């Protein structure tokens, strides 16, 4: 019994949705490359700026949660939300106040997140095989996993410049990965037309 395959390499049903989103992949890739390039000029500053941005975001979120606390029903709900939002706001304020200490602690947490994201991206890249550009997604996932692993292994003694360098490398590789994948989707679209 002979089976003929009429299907050309494709990404399956999900990729057809992605075909229309090729521009987003290219745009995100370019943004990552630009931010990575700017950040590479001062690795320690890149690290501290990223930590301060995280702290500031926590402060804004904490304040929003304080406002939300007063809309919670019942006295116990209000007290719980209010207390948790105050703690969250205080944590953000401490990060902004001492980004140096926070960056050392965040390096370990970032390592776990990057390693996890790397595994997920690698799996997603393998699942999109044999579509053009799938290898870039896998490579970007492997780099994220390796970056996270280095951060985990070297914490807490990691230097601020190394944490910044690893973040820059990850941004640049993710940028190239997204850019290449978006271009591959557009090329496939043009060939199909």
């Amino acid at each position: 019994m002979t089976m003929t395959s009429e299907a050309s390499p494709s990404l399956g049903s999900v990729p057809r949705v992605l075909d229309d989103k090729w521009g987003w992949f290219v745009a995100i890739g370019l943004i990552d490359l630009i931010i990575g390039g700017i950040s590479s000029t001062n690795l320690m500053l890149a690290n501290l700026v990223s930590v301060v941005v995280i702290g500031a975001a926590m402060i804004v979120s904490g304040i929003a949660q304080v406002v939300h606390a007063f809309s919670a029903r019942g006295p116990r709900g209000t007290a719980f939300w209010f207390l948790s939002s105050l703690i969250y706001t205080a944590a953000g304020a401490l990060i902004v106040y001492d980004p140096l200490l926070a960056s050392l602690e965040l390096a370990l947490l970032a390592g776990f997140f990057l390693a996890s994201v790397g595994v997920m991206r690698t799996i997603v890249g393998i699942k999109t095989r044999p579509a053009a550009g799938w290898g870039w997604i896998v490579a970007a996932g492997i780099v994220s996993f390796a970056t996270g692993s280095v951060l985990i292994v070297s914490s807490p003694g990691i230097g601020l410049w190394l944490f910044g360098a690893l973040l820059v490398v990850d941004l640049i590789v993710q940028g190239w990965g997204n850019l290449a994948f978006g271009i591959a989707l557009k090329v496939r679209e043009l060939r199909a037309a």
Side-chain angles (χ1 to χ4, degrees):
M1 180 170 158
T2 351
M3 292 179 55
T4 58
S5 174
E6 296 176 23
S8 61
S10 74
L11 299 173
S13 61
V14 172
R16 293 295 168 210
V17 173
L18 292 178
D19 284 347
D20 295 336
K21 308 293 184 209
W22 70 270
W24 282 102
F25 284 100
V26 170
I28 290 168
L30 290 173
I31 290 168
D32 286 347
L33 287 171
I34 291 167
I35 292 171
I38 292 169
S39 298
S40 69
T41 61
N42 188 334
L43 299 176
M44 182 183 278
L45 182 62
N47 175 32
L48 294 177
V49 166
S50 65
V51 170
V52 169
V53 167
I54 291 169
M58 288 176 69
I59 292 170
V60 170
S61 176
I63 292 169
Q65 290 177 35
V66 167
V67 171
H68 174 260
F70 291 107
S71 68
R73 301 274 181 206
R76 281 201 258 177
T78 302
F80 171 76
W81 284 109
F82 183 71
L83 182 59
S84 66
S85 59
L86 283 180
I87 292 170
Y88 197 75
T89 305
L94 285 173
I95 288 172
V96 170
Y97 177 74
D98 192 354
L100 191 63
L101 176 63
S103 68
L104 295 174
E105 294 170 2
L106 288 174
L108 182 61
L109 183 60
F112 283 112
F113 281 127
L114 284 173
S116 300
V117 165
V119 169
M120 288 185 272
R121 285 181 180 156
T122 302
I123 291 169
V124 167
I126 290 170
K127 287 187 177 210
T128 61
R129 196 178 55 165
W134 72 272
W136 284 102
I137 301 297
V138 171
I142 291 170
V143 168
S144 288
F145 177 77
T147 303
S149 298
V150 168
L151 287 172
I152 292 167
V153 170
S154 62
S155 285
I158 189 169
L160 294 178
W161 68 269
L162 181 57
F163 185 37
L166 292 174
L167 291 173
V168 166
V169 166
D170 188 63
L171 274 170
I172 290 172
V173 171
Q174 295 308 317
W176 279 115
N178 283 320
L179 183 65
F181 189 66
I183 291 171
L185 287 172
K186 181 62 177 175
V187 167
R188 184 177 75 175
E189 180 184 304
L190 291 173
R191 285 184 182 160

